[in-house]
Amino acid sequence: MNDSAQAAASTPARRRARVRAPELIGKGGWLNTGDQQYTLADLRGRIVLLDFWTFCCINCLHVLDELRELEEKHRDTVVIIGVHSPKFVHEAEHQAVVDAVERYGVEHPVLDDPELATWKQYAVRAWPTLVVIDPEGYVVAQHAGEGHAHAIERLVEELEAEHEAKGTLRRGDGPYVAPEPEPTVLRFPGKALALPSGNLLVSDTTRHQLVELAEDAETVVRRIGSGVRGFADGGAEEAGFSEPQGLALLDEGAVVVADTVNHALRRVDLATGAVSTLAGTGRQWWQGSPTSGPAREVDLSSPWDVALFGGKVWIAMAGVHQLWTYDPAAETVAVAAGTTNEGLVDGPGPEAWFAQPSGLAATEDRLWLADSETSALRWVDLDGAVHTAVGTGLFDFGHRDGAAEQALLQHPLGVTALPDGSVAVSDTYNHALRRYDPATGEVTTLATDLREPSDAVLVGDDIVVVESARHRLTRLRLPEEAVRVASVAHRTRRAATDVAPGTVRLDVIFQAPAGQKLDTRYGPSTRLLVSATPPGLLLAGEGAGTDLSRSVELNPAVPEGVLHVSAMAASCDDDPDNPYPACHVHQQDWGVPVRLIEGGADRLPLVLAGMDDQETGQGA
């Protein structure tokens, strides 16, 4: 346990640290406000919750869902503002942010900050990060990662009472203005599937439905699902989905659906349209939850795509950076590959690292996958080992054709097996369809000017592409020749942190929420995992442990790299009379670009929850 965690656990009534909140600046301007621009002064008297997010990030999408209940319950006192802070070049495009706000049902104002101006002012280090500002304009808490909604709600209730008493709380309607709905047949479709009938089934993600289209890929045959976000089995008209994505034929008469935000696999009877649940509980998987067992009793985490491979349904479990399987005969699920650590590491399935796997396609001897956050094309062999065809890691991306070892993609979401043994990649943020040929090791571009393609399906000699941000399917003749594209290469937009070579103190700040304490009933309640890219950056301090503070030794011979830090803390209600206290898991992964310079910082604080008192002092 680190000093901050000990202090929070033992003295919950201590004075809350405060620092003046920096102004909100974003070159892209405001969304969801009816074109009104806002400053912090305009919001004085309200509790402001800043959500630093980027739309590629699955953890950010989880937090959007975590905050929905808080947003509704405290609508007259709390103003949530999403500060969109891009990782990829495409995410800095204003229209892409506009699309994402609608796609993910964001019902609060969003500040588009393409140059990371506000991100830097608030010294944010990770997506997602939540910052609480009190009604007088002071920052009173910061949380990184997922699992903090309960803690923030407790803090909100404290701030409501405190500032009501002081006369500094202002209640009323917030600045959110809903955009006008668009009358399109599909709205941000995710994945498509060719049915035995010749029709196409599409996940109409933002409208929480499946849509069956005729062979022309335009005419609506039927809709499956109520169109309202929900989790309900039943007939085609009353069943509920929540942002469904991947589709695969389970057999000639049924389809399995990755029901992403419901954290479930669903089954659709093609004859009747009836929907039932195959796997998942509707709850999100957290560290420590079961990783195998009866399918309806095990939690899942944002399944994004599905494919039948080796007699099992493989699941791209984007939310925990893993591949899972569902066994239709035994009706069980289990982890097949991935450690839950985010990154690009090949090898035996249990040792591999993924980063938000989002697209799957099976052939007889390979399961291909689009590993979106590493901008990579990867595959699993029949022995379960993981290999990388294209991609180098979390921070390099672009549009470059040629030999696979130097080719670049940008956040691909889909992969399609082609008849000649090659694969087509829906290269989403490059708005392109790419091709990788294992026989030659070459990457080419098949088509450009596709708006956020997220999947593609073969229909005869054509390939039908899901143009998600154009809300349509686009039929292309499968090109015989590649398109020439000017090469571009990018790195993540975040600035590196200057640190001193040699010994650096790594402090993960965690302060248990009011009324809670660290849960030590069954051993240590915290976990810290540290690694680096390149591995030679770390001379000491690598590996797993239970202390949230650690001294690491950085190699002076390696001028720059990335520290990968994964932290988890479990807290429970601090009530000795309650034999079954409510417990919560807080977790976050950081990838911190660092640059080694003499005179750099000898301490690297990462806030999981609370405030770093060594930086804030006792506040004002």
Side-chain angles (χ1 to χ4, degrees):
M1 189 190 307
N2 66 9
D3 294 340
S4 297
Q6 284 180 322
S10 59
T11 58
R14 66 181 182 157
R15 188 180 180 189
R16 187 183 298 120
R18 304 195 308 171
V19 295
R20 177 64 71 182
E23 191 52 83
L24 304 179
I25 305 166
K27 192 173 181 180
W30 290 81
L31 306 176
N32 280 357
T33 63
D35 296 325
Q36 180 74 33
Q37 307 297 300
Y38 283 92
T39 66
L40 280 177
D42 299 324
L43 303 172
R44 196 63 50 83
R46 311 298 291 272
I47 300 164
V48 177
L49 175 59
L50 302 182
D51 175 13
F52 289 87
W53 71 298
T54 189
F55 63 79
C56 72
C57 161
I58 191 67
N59 311 93
C60 300
L61 304 186
H62 290 166
V63 167
L64 285 175
D65 291 306
E66 287 179 7
L67 295 179
R68 293 186 198 279
E69 184 177 344
L70 173 75
E71 191 168 26
E72 181 60 35
K73 185 175 178 181
H74 297 273
R75 191 171 291 278
D76 66 333
T77 59
V78 174
V79 174
I80 297 178
I81 294 174
V83 182
H84 189 268
S85 313
K87 171 185 175 181
F88 290 98
V89 170
H90 169 60
E91 293 175 308
E93 296 178 17
H94 181 70
Q95 185 57 47
V97 181
V98 173
D99 289 344
V101 167
E102 181 187 350
R103 182 195 300 267
Y104 297 115
V106 180
E107 295 184 354
H108 51 249
V110 172
L111 176 64
D112 180 11
D113 183 18
E115 297 177 347
L116 302 181
T118 296
W119 167 286
K120 294 170 185 173
Q121 287 294 311
Y122 280 81
V124 175
R125 295 187 186 274
W127 297 279
T129 290
L130 299 168
V131 175
V132 181
I133 302 172
D134 73 12
E136 294 178 293
Y138 288 91
V139 174
V140 293
Q142 181 172 325
H143 300 75
E146 305 177 47
H148 301 295
H150 71 287
I152 291 172
E153 180 161 16
R154 284 179 180 242
L155 176 57
V156 163
E157 290 169 350
E158 289 179 8
L159 291 171
E160 286 175 340
E162 175 185 337
H163 288 274
E164 190 94 75
K166 291 174 67 175
T168 50
L169 184 70
R170 178 166 58 91
R171 295 179 180 269
D173 293 335
Y176 171 66
V177 177
E180 289 293 321
E182 297 286 344
T184 54
V185 171
L186 301 172
R187 204 69 191 162
F188 298 104
K191 304 287 185 182
L193 175 67
L195 296 175
S197 65
N199 289 349
L200 293 163
L201 189 65
V202 185
S203 53
D204 197 15
T205 303
T206 297
R207 291 198 177 126
H208 316 296
Q209 286 182 320
L210 307 182
V211 179
E212 185 175 342
L213 301 176
E215 294 182 49
D216 63 5
E218 295 181 4
T219 305
V220 175
V221 175
R222 61 173 169 171
R223 294 180 180 270
I224 299 172
S226 66
V228 177
R229 186 190 297 272
F231 188 21
D233 291 341
E237 294 184 356
E238 63 261 25
F241 297 98
S242 187
E243 298 180 29
Q245 287 282 350
L247 308 164
L249 279 173
L250 193 59
D251 52 51
E252 286 294 302
V255 168
V256 57
V257 182
D259 193 6
T260 304
V261 177
N262 278 329
H263 311 294
L265 296 188
R266 315 294 291 283
R267 179 187 184 276
V268 176
D269 185 299
L270 289 175
T272 64
V275 178
S276 56
T277 300
L278 294 176
T281 63
R283 298 183 299 271
Q284 184 184 338
W285 186 94
W286 289 99
Q287 291 286 351
S289 301
T291 55
S292 64
R296 292 290 304 273
E297 300 174 16
V298 177
D299 299 338
L300 308 181
S301 182
S302 298
W304 206 274
D305 204 3
V306 283
L308 204 63
F309 179 62
K312 294 181 180 179
V313 176
W314 285 64
I315 309 163
M317 203 72 78
V320 284
H321 317 300
Q322 289 181 313
L323 300 179
W324 287 42
T325 58
Y326 165 72
D327 186 333
E331 297 184 350
T332 56
V333 292
V335 174
T339 64
T340 75
N341 294 317
E342 185 178 12
L344 193 153
V345 177
D346 290 339
E351 300 172 14
W353 291 24
F354 300 98
Q356 221 167 293
S358 301
L360 298 175
T363 64
E364 285 189 7
D365 60 352
R366 292 186 181 187
L367 178 72
W368 293 96
L369 68 112
D371 203 27
S372 62
E373 281 291 284
T374 53
S375 297
L377 172 66
R378 306 177 73 185
W379 53 281
V380 181
D381 64 27
L382 293 173
D383 295 325
V386 179
H387 311 262
T388 297
V390 182
T392 60
L394 287 164
F395 300 98
D396 293 292
F397 53 91
H399 193 151
R400 183 194 287 156
D401 288 333
E405 58 267 20
Q406 58 86 55
L408 294 172
L409 309 169
Q410 187 180 179
H411 198 82
L413 290 178
V415 59
T416 308
L418 300 179
D420 64 358
S422 66
V423 290
V425 180
S426 295
D427 193 5
T428 309
Y429 288 3
N430 280 328
H431 311 300
L433 190 67
R434 311 286 293 281
R435 176 177 179 264
Y436 168 70
D437 186 351
T440 64
E442 292 287 312
V443 175
T444 54
T445 297
L446 296 177
T448 57
D449 193 32
L450 299 165
R451 188 68 184 170
E452 291 192 18
S454 54
D455 197 19
V457 59
L458 283 174
V459 179
D461 293 329
D462 295 340
I463 189 163
V464 177
V465 181
V466 180
E467 278 199 271
S468 187
R470 283 200 178 112
H471 319 293
R472 70 187 189 192
L473 303 190
T474 299
R475 185 184 297 268
L476 305 172
R477 179 54 56 106
L478 197 58
E480 295 181 3
E481 294 185 3
V483 177
R484 287 192 173 274
V485 178
S487 295
V488 291
H490 303 288
R491 295 215 84 204
T492 181
R493 301 171 64 86
R494 283 183 292 170
T497 299
D498 291 337
V499 295
T503 302
V504 172
R505 183 72 175 175
L506 176 64
D507 284 336
V508 173
I509 312 302
F510 177 74
Q511 296 161 357
Q516 293 200 333
K517 65 178 181 180
L518 289 168
D519 178 20
T520 56
R521 290 171 299 164
Y522 307 109
S525 61
T526 55
R527 186 190 69 167
L528 181 65
L529 178 67
V530 180
S531 62
T533 303
L537 175 64
L538 275 177
L539 295 176
E542 184 178 15
T546 57
D547 197 332
L548 290 182
S549 290
R550 182 183 303 183
S551 290
V552 299
E553 188 176 352
L554 303 182
N555 188 349
V558 180
E560 62 180 22
V562 178
L563 284 176
H564 303 284
V565 181
S566 177
M568 184 274 289
S571 61
C572 295
D573 290 342
D574 187 10
D575 182 357
D577 296 328
N578 182 0
Y580 305 107
C583 297
H584 304 273
V585 175
H586 317 253
Q587 63 185 46
Q588 172 63 4
D589 296 333
W590 291 268
V592 184
V594 295
R595 183 172 53 214
L596 274 58
I597 62 169
E598 293 297 336
D602 62 1
R603 177 175 179 264
L604 181 60
L606 300 173
V607 177
L608 179 59
M611 297 282 282
D612 179 14
D613 289 344
Q614 291 191 39
E615 288 191 351
T616 64
Q618 287 304 306

